[in-house]
Amino acid sequence: VVVLHPAERAAPTNVEGFLADAELSGGRYDVRACSARDGLAALQCYDDADEPAPPVVYGAAFRSGGRVALQYWLFHAFDIWSPFVPQSPDYWKAHEGDWEAVTVLLDAGGRPVEAATSRHCGGARRAWAKVERRGARPVVYSALGSHALYFRPGRYAQERRCWPKEALAVFEAYGVAVVDHAARGRALAPRVVPVTRTSPAWMRFTGSFGESQFLHFPQATFAYGAGPRGPAFHDLWRRPFAVPRGWPAG
């Protein structure tokens, strides 16, 4: 169960709709009519490009020595993070295509023992007994704009290692904290769509889902880094047990 921030406009959606509105150029997909460079002003464009569709998550199962890791990948067409609520036109980071994931680790008896959520360049894990649930389903909270996943509502400092040191220096000069905001808003129970490393066909795409990332401070916008790659090219997919177990517990 995915709980969105009350100010969030975009639910996790299907990849096919994104690809239908994008063109392939230079090893990356780029939504034709919109640009992440426009920041908050681009929200309506991405809303218009992303045709309404029931929310989905993409699911995969991995087995090792009797253990099982269940991965649930969430895709958003547009990521627009700001350290403020309401989101600020002066401070933001934006990119097309956004992948986040929830992992549930099962023991040899098929019982859940831990859940792990991705956020930016890392994640966190929690004992299953301490995970909020609705029935058998774990509940996660999607941060406003960035869609980083947390176990509870709150204001969370992002890991400094996820940012270029130059960007952190600018935030510090302006006195702006680099934080996510998660809160109780609309709750979704997305349909699970099974995927493998090779199916559907877009799982084999080696490029980026979206144009370059953009970072904006007052009076200046910078491009840095490529958009994210698909699930099968993330370390979490390649090491489904070791990666979440390496994240901090809390």
Side-chain angles (χ1 to χ4, degrees):
V1 176
V2 183
V3 181
L4 303 180
H5 190 282
E8 179 63 61
R9 293 168 57 155
T13 189
N14 66 76
V15 174
E16 287 78 9
F18 176 86
L19 298 182
D21 292 322
E23 60 185 14
L24 185 60
S25 175
R28 65 187 183 186
Y29 281 105
D30 186 1
V31 176
R32 297 183 188 90
C34 311
S35 176
R37 179 184 287 275
D38 296 329
L40 290 173
L43 271 169
Q44 189 60 53
C45 183
Y46 285 100
D47 285 350
D48 294 341
D50 187 21
E51 296 182 6
V56 301
V57 298
Y58 296 98
F62 303 84
R63 300 178 185 276
S64 175
R67 299 174 302 159
V68 176
L70 303 176
Q71 288 184 1
Y72 302 92
W73 290 85
L74 293 76
F75 179 77
H76 292 261
F78 186 45
D79 177 300
I80 175 67
W81 167 85
S82 171
F84 300 106
V85 179
Q87 291 176 295
S88 168
D90 294 324
Y91 303 93
W92 51 260
K93 177 173 70 72
H95 60 82
E96 292 178 352
D98 185 26
W99 287 102
E100 300 290 349
V102 177
T103 301
V104 177
L105 298 173
L106 312 181
D107 64 16
R111 294 176 292 270
V113 291
E114 276 189 312
T117 60
S118 70
R119 54 192 69 160
H120 308 292
C121 68
R125 58 190 171 91
R126 177 172 285 192
W128 184 254
K130 296 183 178 180
V131 173
E132 181 182 349
R133 298 193 295 275
R134 297 188 184 181
R137 298 186 179 201
V139 177
V140 295
Y141 292 81
S142 179
L144 175 61
S146 77
H147 313 125
L149 298 173
Y150 295 90
F151 291 109
R152 301 292 297 173
R155 179 179 182 269
Y156 296 94
Q158 295 184 20
E159 289 190 69
R160 294 179 63 85
R161 67 185 181 90
C162 299
W163 285 87
K165 63 180 185 299
E166 296 84 358
L168 291 174
V170 176
F171 279 120
E172 290 170 0
Y174 279 109
V176 174
V178 182
V179 295
D180 276 326
H181 301 272
R184 295 185 186 275
R186 184 163 51 120
L188 309 172
R191 178 174 61 93
V192 179
V193 177
V195 295
T196 69
R197 187 178 61 82
T198 59
S199 179
W202 52 259
M203 285 289 292
R204 301 193 297 271
F205 176 60
T206 60
S208 301
F209 284 78
E211 58 180 318
S212 299
Q213 299 187 66
F214 296 93
L215 178 61
H216 179 81
F217 298 107
Q219 302 180 352
T221 303
F222 305 90
Y224 79 99
R229 302 175 77 189
F233 300 94
H234 287 245
D235 200 28
L236 178 62
W237 181 283
R238 292 189 290 260
R239 300 192 299 144
F241 298 93
V243 168
R245 284 277 168 82
W247 290 341

